[in-house]
Amino acid sequence: MNTHPSVRVLPPPAAGLLSLIFPGLGQLCTGAVRKGLLISTSFLTLTALGLWRVSVLAHRETGWIDKLQKALSRQPGFMMLVILLFAAVWLTSIWDAYFLAQKRKKDRSAKGRNIIFALILTHFFVIGWQIAEIDLVKMVQKFPDTIPPLLKILMPWEAAIHRDRIEVDAKARILVDSEGEIPPVPEMIEGQPYIQVEPRTGKLSRMDSQGNIVEGTAVTIEGSGYAPLTEVQIFWNDAVGNAFRPRIDGTYAGTMTDAKGSFSYRMTMPYRLVPPSADGPQYHTVEGRQLQGMGSPKPSEPLVLTVQLIIETIFMGMMATLFGIIFSIPISFLAARNLMFGSLWSKILYYITRTILNIIRAIEPLIWALIAVVWVGLGPFAGILALTIHTIAALGKLYSEAIENIDPGQIEAVQATGATKLQTIIHAVIPQMIPPFVSFTIYRWDINVRMSTVIGMVGGGGIGFLLVQYIRLLDYRSAGIAVWFIAITVSILDYVSAEIRNKFI
Amino acid sequence: MLEVKNLTKIYSDGTVALKNVSFTVQDGEFLVVIGLSGSGKSTLLRCINRLIDPTEGDILWNGVNTTTAGTKELRVIRRKIGMVFQHFNLVKRSSVMTNVLCGRLGYVSPAATLIGRFSRQDTERAYRAMDMVGIRDQAKKRADELSGGQQQRVGIARALMQEPEMILADEPVASLDPVLAHTILGYIEKINQQTGVTVLCSLHYLDLVQRYATRVIGLKAGEIVYEGTKNDILNMTDTQFKEIYGEEAQRVGTGSITGGTQL
Ligand SMILES: Nc1ncnc2c1ncn2[C@@H]1O[C@H](COP(=O)(O)OP(=O)(O)O)[C@@H](O)[C@H]1O
Ligand SMILES: [Mg+2]
């Protein structure tokens, strides 16, 4: 490095002073133009961002002092850190300008240090953390809330099967809290469930004057003729026929039948207010109800819908790919440099095509779907349209690159044998085109099916629509079925497309 | 007999690749074209089978002017001229067999190739061509699975399928090591000597030129600066060499027939 003692450089204190007036100014005037500009613009941006966040935190306050105080009281940690970094950037810029000027006195092209950029970057990330509303505490604290729905989503299969059910019951009468004729043992009817209760008279549980429960008579309920290994619910009917299900220690009265469909259940008679007007013998009824599955299990409605929509989804991806191929092949020729760099006009056409393709590709299919829904209404067609538009652009570019990569040597060699144009295309061009075309197309099909699983969320048809609906209805098991089907479909697709592509490359 | 008369080629970007080149090749000659990279060797060979259209001049082959030939005539001319390339130019994804059969395309009707079928005779001819260069057992492999030397043999077999009267070889051994270079040029020489096929071949190694050429022409910046017989090249002087290869060129191992003396 050459030293130029004759070149005048700003004296270090002046450089420092300039950066005190505005960060970066000192560096700028010392000749480090790019560094100075970078510091100044960063500082301006950080100031603006900081002020914006303060006014967001204190949107009701008017004066800046009030706003600052409010912001400080709301998020003291963040505010302190930002103010500290703000000061640090400012001070470092002063020190940096001084240091740089001092160095440049000896060597015109001295570089100085870049600690200030580390500070600026930190500052940006601190503000970014706050803008993004990152809240790790909430994330950890609220995590348990997600477990029940998550478990349902992970294990949704009981919602996948549906069985028609029928309720059967058997009754037995019991004389309660009164004198009278003890009811007979119920008669057994062939093919029907049956219960009997012993003893057939007793006292209900009641409440004494201190409000304590006095236990009633213990009874044993014997049942038979029920479906085996299925729950039986015990109900109690009072004298006027009000049925209720007694609770014993918080759980409802009931038991499971054994392998023969019989059960024996012991309980104390429940607490029940007897109507004051009642006199004479009071007969209550004990009831054993059972819900029995009827016929064979059937797929549930959510399962059927999910299967239908996953098929719709796969076909949406396929149709979009098909239409994409049809349109992108001719377009890819216009976007191939080696074909279009002949005349000026074709060159212009090439650049126009490329630009349009790039713009279309830059817009995500989900956004195209929003537009398509306005265009052709809700449903799978909107999704197909959106995916097709994106596919044309994506495949158009990939295909054109495949065309650009054609080896002219192979064409030349086949031409040299005396082959006609058609023969040259068949024997030299197509063999070169097939592998990339197949590979890109399969790749795109894969993407399209993936995309059609989410495109329904904005109304573009397919499984996504159903999934969003189930989640909005908090029907996590049904949502789980959809999620599982999406996962399975996408994995299979992943595998298949990788296999096909490997075959062709 | 091949007569090149006042051949000039100016590319569309203005590059003058050939300047008023004239020479004659008798049937059965093994003519070697030498010259620095960029001197116009490839352009010259490609003008002969019209892979490149000459700007001016005439090329008469057995009395027929190839420069004015129409599509149909050109097909008939091309199928009698085999071509071998530096980078082999095989259709990489096709099998060796398919590549060799491609040499027959000039004879079969385009309709037949649409179905992708070649006749039994052609398949048998392909096996014979592969036998000649010792690659029959590779027939089913994909072309890009072969080594460089094997690929060039496929290239020669493909040219043989044309039942050529002339072979154009554009630096056929420049991508191969010296031992392989001799093998490949040996095959070309065998074809030349056994069936009397005229050979036009551009080469880079002096010892190969001295070993295989029956006659040599030297190109420099698109002009012929040297013409000599086998004896002439064996006794080539440094001055003549510098004429062709420029001032900076060194002649290593004068007249040496062994070793890979590179110009
Ligand atoms: N397609 C082309 N367009 C423009 N210039 C070309 C083209 N092909 C070759 N040239 C130029 O023509 C000259 C001769 O090239 P070439 O015949 O390939 O020489 P060689 O085969 O002896 O290396 C070189 O200057 C080269 O850059
Ligand atoms: Mg060349």
Side-chain angles (χ1 to χ4, degrees), chain B residues 106-117:
Chain B
Y107 292 90
V108 294
S109 76
T113 50
L114 252 185
I115 327 162
R117 284 255 152 252

Side-chain angles (χ1 to χ4, degrees), chain B:
Chain B
M1 190 173 76
L2 177 77
E3 293 164 86
V4 175
K5 292 180 178 166
N6 309 103
L7 188 67
T8 297
K9 172 66 191 176
I10 303 168
Y11 281 110
S12 56
D13 64 354
T15 311
V16 183
L18 293 174
K19 240 180 277 176
N20 206 22
V21 170
S22 301
F23 61 94
T24 308
V25 191
Q26 299 300 327
D27 289 344
E29 273 192 281
F30 195 124
L31 178 82
V32 170
V33 184
I34 56 174
L36 273 176
S37 163
S39 57
K41 303 184 295 293
S42 299
T43 306
L44 174 62
L45 294 182
R46 278 169 175 72
C47 280
I48 291 170
N49 64 357
R50 283 271 301 279
L51 285 177
I52 292 172
D53 283 320
T55 313
E56 261 174 59
D58 293 304
I59 297 166
L60 296 173
W61 191 44
N62 296 339
V64 181
N65 193 341
T66 68
T67 52
T68 54
T71 318
K72 284 225 178 81
E73 283 171 280
L74 189 59
R75 186 170 194 237
V76 176
I77 293 167
R78 273 182 182 166
R79 72 182 183 199
K80 284 288 174 192
I81 303 176
M83 189 154 189
V84 179
F85 302 84
Q86 177 183 348
H87 299 294
F88 327 130
N89 288 0
L90 302 183
V91 180
K92 290 203 180 70
R93 289 191 39 84
S94 298
S95 68
V96 167
M97 186 58 169
T98 310
N99 267 284
V100 174
L101 282 170
C102 271
R104 212 58 204 163
L105 285 175
Y107 292 90
V108 294
S109 76
T113 50
L114 252 185
I115 327 162
R117 284 255 152 252
F118 285 91
S119 67
R120 273 247 329 260
Q121 291 99 302
D122 284 344
T123 315
E124 277 160 21
R125 199 191 305 272
Y127 276 120
R128 282 202 299 278
M130 285 188 270
D131 274 336
M132 176 136 184
V133 288
I135 48 159
R136 179 193 261 266
D137 46 343
Q138 316 284 342
K140 297 228 158 51
K141 281 197 187 163
R142 241 170 68 169
D144 57 1
E145 287 170 6
L146 303 190
S147 70
Q150 288 172 321
Q151 289 198 31
Q152 194 58 297
R153 289 194 244 175
V154 177
I156 294 171
R158 175 170 63 189
L160 278 176
M161 287 296 280
Q162 297 178 232
E163 301 179 289
E165 291 169 18
M166 176 161 69
I167 287 181
L168 306 173
D170 189 11
E171 304 196 32
V173 295
S175 310
L176 302 174
D177 67 57
V179 178
L180 276 174
H182 275 291
T183 318
I184 294 298
L185 285 173
Y187 286 127
I188 296 176
E189 187 182 46
K190 196 165 104 189
I191 296 163
N192 169 252
Q193 287 174 353
Q194 285 181 355
T195 55
V197 171
T198 312
V199 174
L200 259 77
C201 176
S202 58
L203 282 178
H204 243 96
Y205 295 92
L206 176 61
D207 54 339
L208 294 180
V209 179
Q210 290 171 328
R211 164 74 182 72
Y212 294 100
T214 58
R215 202 153 67 86
V216 175
I217 58 175
L219 281 179
K220 189 181 173 186
E223 287 179 286
I224 293 191
V225 291
Y226 179 82
E227 242 188 302
T229 61
K230 193 173 181 102
N231 278 333
D232 292 334
I233 187 101
L234 287 172
N235 304 315
M236 210 177 202
T237 64
D238 282 356
T239 337
Q240 287 170 316
F241 233 70
K242 281 184 181 157
E243 269 289 299
I244 304 164
Y245 282 99
E247 285 304 317
E248 75 279 8
Q250 291 289 315
R251 188 182 187 191
V252 202
T254 314
S256 154
I257 293 184
T258 53
T261 314
Q262 191 171 9
L263 296 180

